[in-house]
Every structure is written in structure tokens, then in C-alpha cells.
Amino acid sequence: MKNLLNVSLSLFFISAGVLAQNKGLVANSESPYSKLQSVGLQDVKWTNGFWKEQFDVETKNTLPYMWDLYHNDSISHAYKNFEIAAGLSKGAFKGPSFHDGDFYKIFEGMAATYAVTKDKKLDAEMDKAIALFAKVQRKDGYIHTPVLIDERWGTLGPEEVKKQLGFEKYNMGHLMTAACIHYRATGKTNFLNIAKGVADFLYDFYKKASPELARNAICPSHYMGIVEMYRTTKNPKYLELANNLIDIRGTTNDGTDDNQDRIPFRQQTTAMGHAVRANYLYAGVADLYAETGEKKLLDNLESIWDDVTYRKMYITGGCGSLYDGVSPDGTSYNPADVQKIHQAYGRPFQLPNATAHTETCANIGNVLWNWRMLQITGDAKYADVVELALYNSVLSGMDLEGEKFLYNNPLNVSNDLPFHQRWGNEREGYIALSNCCAPNVTRTIAEVGNYAYNISKEGLYVNLYGSNQLKTKFLNGEEIEIEQQTNYPWDGKITLKIVKAPKDLQNFFLRIPGWSQNASVSINNAKINDKIISGTYLKLNQKWKKGDVIELNLPMPVELMEANPLVEEVKNQIAVKRGPLVYCLESDQLPAKTSVNDVALNVNSKFTINNFTLNNRNLVSIDAEAVLNSNNSWNKTLYKPLSSKDATVVPVKLIPYFAWGNKGKGEMTVWMSH
């Protein structure tokens, strides 16, 4: 391990004053164990269609709404906390302890948006915020407003250790990530210099801290952040710190499965605990592997990925099925074995629907993790999960107009549930005490364009489909320009027009989604006869010239999906998918006083496709038939005989899952009887 690290350091050491070249969300162009590299943040621009519409919502609604909201101290105290910590006004810290990190996430979304739009107003707003961060930062690099406000205006005393538990490192992690994105978007080092102070503080802290104090790091965004600082500055001590962060996990007697640190990471082979913390950890470990190549890290990540993808992930790509659970499996009465876990990965196949937690942040964490796994391996199965989560369980965390948000993302909403859940099923403009998901989805939507392509020594990888313009460079400096045109995900026809290509032989790698069947590809109207395998990248190899056109056709029939029979809650039920999208049924499509739970979908329906508009967004519905039994009263009834008498056939309109809840309060379900 140490020898491997020394080799890595000697190969890639550059003085701390030299910065890595401007790249994308992860600056992995020199990561020795990353097969694919990111394109620049500014290299992809959406031109029309689905993601252009979503990016317009981001720039016109979501980003300005969130920026203003977090400056409004009558609702969110985040920006005000920075002002108090800087000494610009007096007051006490207010809001959740992760408020700093929430603001950094919004800032990151602003930086990513600026990379594409070059809007000078965004640049000015960011510089103003950075100047405030600089006033807040302590001389030793420390920045965490709950502690700094007490230091400036109150008495910190023994609370300092306690507040280490208050998302301190999480906030710092998001600061470092946002600073790296800002540097790549603007070329300015004003925020990056603050982040260097933070990274230096963490390096010194972890050198001296006891294992008990060092483990107090809730939701480890700083794993990703510190590796990104290493990639950006090439300061080798940051990579040393990243290794140390993994080494110290699980080395104390007070670790928890909730925080994934009861046992060392190198002993973990299944997903457990708080799903957001878990997915952030897995993403950070993947970043570390890309730099060190430690095989054990990748082996464990692949084992955990299998556990999540084949036993613990929802059909929407959602993660974290339980509001509260226990670990490891509830079979022991020893309190040291059985621990309460919050927002948790459950047992294998434990996937409830109405009580699904599936926090939006956990689903975004699933994207972050799979994105890194894709770049390490070049395996299309990871891109499939990125696409699945983005279109379904991430987008569902925000309304169509981009100003209301969900904390959790259930797959069933029923009016008759006889209990109150901690988190509501209606989107809100501000989710008091737990608004972390809204800033997270804000930055994620701003950055989707960077997921669309990768480059490698072999050629160009096309990961996500949507109308866009790509202008980027290969690692050898040769330029490539592509125009992609498609109505995806509503239609499976995709064309890639070559505007500029290197003179030498180059490969194009087209992702053939795992959900697809019978895909076909033509080049300049000549169909290729290569075998096309779903769930892989199709390699196209030739000398490309300006005007060449690649056409990919992905048939998009309606598919009726069933779950593994061990998923008890949906046994003998079906869900509807088309392309990458999961569909759902809302109660406004049914006769009055009829529940979505009374519906049996007719599997022999024609399943016709129709365009429609909802809240100024262009969507596609699936029209089908369902059967309603007239005897659908369950008042004071737990069981009753099955009856098919007086069944009524009714038309129903299924809509994309991400669009549910945009027409007011009502019921919804993904899974239906048949």
C-alpha cells in the first residue's frame, strides 16, 4: 500500500503552485487508474429537447430561486451565518449544521452554469460570496460557521468536540469540490486558495487527531473533495490524506453501521447504513482508487455495487429504502450487533413503496458513485445506472418548474395510510431543517452535460443522449466537434454529425443501453453489420471526416416490468417503463373516490404513446386500460374474498415518474396489480 502510494506520488508530483489543466467535474486526465477522462465543463452545450428544457428551467428558475432563498435570512440563515461568522453583524448560528454545505452546493451549480453561459452576473455574485468566505476563514484554514460564530460571539468551550459531529467535514468537502469547479469554470484561484487552506487544515487535523475524534465525520463528502484538490493542485499531501481517511475508518470501538465505520472499509462487501453517507463514501473511495489503483478498494466497490444494484435499488434508481432500520439483520439481541439506522439501506430485497425513503441526495450519490465507476472501468453498466437515476429518482426530487422539492421519493402515495410520515409527499419551496436535497439537485442539473461524453486514449465515449454540441480535445490536443440531434428520451433516434475530427483513425464508442433491444447503427446511411450488444459500448472505428453522420436507433416499446419475487411488496405486480423512463399512475386519471391501489392494469392494452404538455414542459404519456372492481371498500377490512364481479374497464394515462405530483395533491403508484 505505502509503496504503491510512493510510486503514485513520485510519478505525479508537481509543485503545489502548479495547477492541473481545466477539465470537468473530475479532473482525472492524469489519474493513472481511470480508463476514461472527463471533458471540460464548457465543452457541452444543450441545444434543444429534454435536457435543454431542463437546463433552461435551471438557469431561469432553479438557480436564481435557490440563490435568493439562501440569502433570505427570514427563511434560510445560510448566508447570514457567514456574515455573522465574518463579524459583519452580530447574532447566533441558525439552521441545520449542514447549512454551509448547502450554500456551497448552490455555489457549485452557479459555477457549472457559468462555465456554459459565461454570464457576468453569475461571476460577480460568486466573487462577492468568495470575498465573504475569505473573511470567515480562520488563519489555520478552518471554516465552519457553527464553530466560528461561537468563537467570535460566544463561548465555544467543550462544545468544539461535539460540533465536530455537526457535518463539519461534510461542509468542508462541498467547499473543496465547489472551489475546484469554480476554478475550472472561471480560471480564477480566489476560491481555490480558500480551499487550499481547508485542505491544509484537514491534513494537519488528521495528522494529530485521535482515531475517536477523527471518525467524527458525518456524510463524507470530503473524501471526494480532498481527492479533487489533489487532482487540481497536485499537492501530494492531499493524496496522502485521502488514503489516511480510508485507513482510519472503522478503527475505533464506537463506530456505527449508520456511518459505515463500525468495521474498516476494506472489510465491507455489502451496502449498509445511511444511504447518502454510504454513496458519498463509495464515490470518494472510487476517486481514491483512480489515483492509487489499490485492488482491494475496487474489489469491495464492485461487491457493494452488486449488492445495491441487484438487491437494494429501486426500479427508479432510488437508494435507501427505510426511514429507520437495524443492522446487521435483526437476528441478534446483542445491542452491540443491532443498531438503529436512519434513512437506511435495508436488507436485500427490502423495498417498500409507500414508506420508501429514497432521499434525493442518496439518489444523487448513486449518480456520483456510478459516474466514477464508469470512468475507472469504461463499463456501460455504470452509465445505465447514471441514466436511470438522473431521469427518474433525481428529477423527481424537483417539480417541473424547478422551484419546489422533495426530500424523499416514494413509489406509492396513498391517502388512506393510517399513520403520519416524518417527511411529506408534496414538494415544497423550502424543506425546514432538511433542505439539503434542493441545493444538491440544483448543482446536479447544472452539471448533467458533463456526464454526456468521456474521452480516452482510444477515442470518444458517448454516454448520455440529448441534443447538444460537443467541442473538446483529446489527450493529445487534437480537437473534435460533434452535433448530436435527438428527441431522446421520448424517441430512440439519435444522430451524431461530425463537424471536426482528428485526421488519424479514431474510435467512437456508443452506449447501447441495457434496457434496449434490437438497436441498429448506420454510418452515412450505410447500416453496419457489427453485432450490437445491449449494456455495452459499440466501437465504431474508421477515419472520420467533416460531415460524417452516425445514426443510432433504439426501439422504445412499452415494457411491463416485474420484480424479483423476493421483493415481497410488489410480488405479482407490474411497473411500466419506456426507454430509460419509469412511468406511474396518478389518481386524477381515475373515477372520483377511486384509489390507485384499486387498479389492475390490463396487460393486453394497446399502450399508445401521446405527447402532452404539463406546466410548460413537453412530455410523453402512455395510454392504457385498467380494470376496477366495484367492490373496492376496505373499511374495517383486512382480508376479503377475491371477486371479479361488476368489474369496470377504464382508460388511464400513465406519466413519467419524475413528473408526478405536479397537478396538486393526489395519489400515485408505480407498481400495479394486473
Side-chain angles (χ1 to χ4, degrees), residues 1-59:
M1 176 67 183
K2 290 183 178 178
N3 290 336
L4 181 62
L5 178 57
N6 289 336
V7 170
S8 179
L9 295 182
S10 63
L11 286 174
F12 295 98
F13 176 83
I14 303 176
S15 68
V18 178
L19 300 179
Q21 67 184 88
N22 191 351
K23 272 295 179 183
L25 295 176
V26 291
N28 59 356
S29 60
E30 295 180 3
S31 300
Y33 298 95
S34 185
K35 183 175 181 179
L36 309 183
Q37 288 77 41
S38 293
V39 299
L41 288 166
Q42 69 284 347
D43 291 354
V44 178
K45 293 181 173 62
W46 301 115
T47 53
N48 56 62
F50 186 91
W51 286 114
K52 177 62 163 61
E53 291 179 8
Q54 195 67 57
F55 189 74
D56 286 347
V57 169
E58 167 80 10
T59 56

Side-chain angles (χ1 to χ4, degrees), residues 162 278 509 556 646:
K162 180 180 178 182
F509 296 88
M556 280 191 178
D646 302 320

Side-chain angles (χ1 to χ4, degrees), residues 452-473:
Y453 300 93
N454 277 119
I455 56 175
S456 76
K457 294 178 181 178
E458 295 183 291
L460 180 72
Y461 281 71
V462 186
N463 306 319
L464 298 180
Y465 298 111
S467 293
N468 63 66
Q469 291 180 337
L470 169 71
K471 293 183 180 181
T472 195
K473 293 181 179 180

Side-chain angles (χ1 to χ4, degrees), residues 36 156 206 243 260 307 367:
L36 309 183
L156 187 60
Y206 280 103
N243 269 287
Q260 296 83 36
D307 184 47
V367 171

